[in-house]
Amino acid sequence: MNKLEFNIRLYLTGVMKSWTDRIDNTDQLTAQRFILNAMTELFDSLSDDDIELIRLRYMERLTLSEFSSRYLLNERTVRNRTNPAIKQLKEIIKKATEQAQYVHEVD
């Protein structure tokens, strides 16, 4: 499981919020809090259908082909609807990782 899938699974199951709240009960913007806040903002901006596409791709681990066959959608349609959000999620994780490394180097 890669970082992207791991973070999507944590977020969609609610585990990310509970862990973040347990780890960080201060007002500091930790890497965990940054990811949670950014993912919340992103998922709040998505339609329910787009969230469901992401959930099925990453929670149910359906391939594009399986998803397309099951829901009678063209693979390109699925890719076009999920790729922008996935690209943003990858950027969120990258920024949080860089932030955490910077904080670690400063300490």
Side-chain angles (χ1 to χ4, degrees), residues 3 31 34-35 90-106:
K3 283 184 188 181
F34 175 85
I35 291 173
K90 286 179 181 179
E91 189 61 32
I92 288 166
I93 294 166
K94 179 182 173 192
K95 284 181 183 177
T97 302
E98 289 169 356
Q99 178 189 12
Q101 289 172 345
Y102 175 75
V103 169
H104 180 69
E105 289 171 3
V106 170

Side-chain angles (χ1 to χ4, degrees), residues 1-10 57-59 61 93:
M1 181 179 323
N2 62 36
K3 283 184 188 181
L4 176 67
E5 183 178 348
F6 180 71
N7 279 285
I8 289 172
R9 287 170 165 265
L10 286 178
R57 287 276 323 274
Y58 291 93
M59 299 290 288
R61 292 187 167 164
I93 294 166

Side-chain angles (χ1 to χ4, degrees), residues 1-41:
M1 181 179 323
N2 62 36
K3 283 184 188 181
L4 176 67
E5 183 178 348
F6 180 71
N7 279 285
I8 289 172
R9 287 170 165 265
L10 286 178
Y11 183 83
L12 291 177
T13 59
V15 172
M16 181 181 282
K17 180 166 179 17
S18 67
W19 280 0
T20 301
D21 290 346
R22 199 172 301 146
I23 292 169
D24 173 31
N25 57 9
T26 68
D27 290 334
Q28 291 184 321
L29 188 62
T30 61
Q32 294 88 358
R33 182 71 57 194
F34 175 85
I35 291 173
L36 175 65
N37 291 348
M39 287 183 74
T40 299
E41 186 176 320

Side-chain angles (χ1 to χ4, degrees), residues 39-59:
M39 287 183 74
T40 299
E41 186 176 320
L42 175 61
F43 275 88
D44 285 350
S45 74
L46 298 175
S47 70
D48 290 341
D49 289 341
D50 290 343
I51 293 171
E52 184 64 6
L53 286 173
I54 291 170
R55 188 188 72 73
L56 290 168
R57 287 276 323 274
Y58 291 93
M59 299 290 288

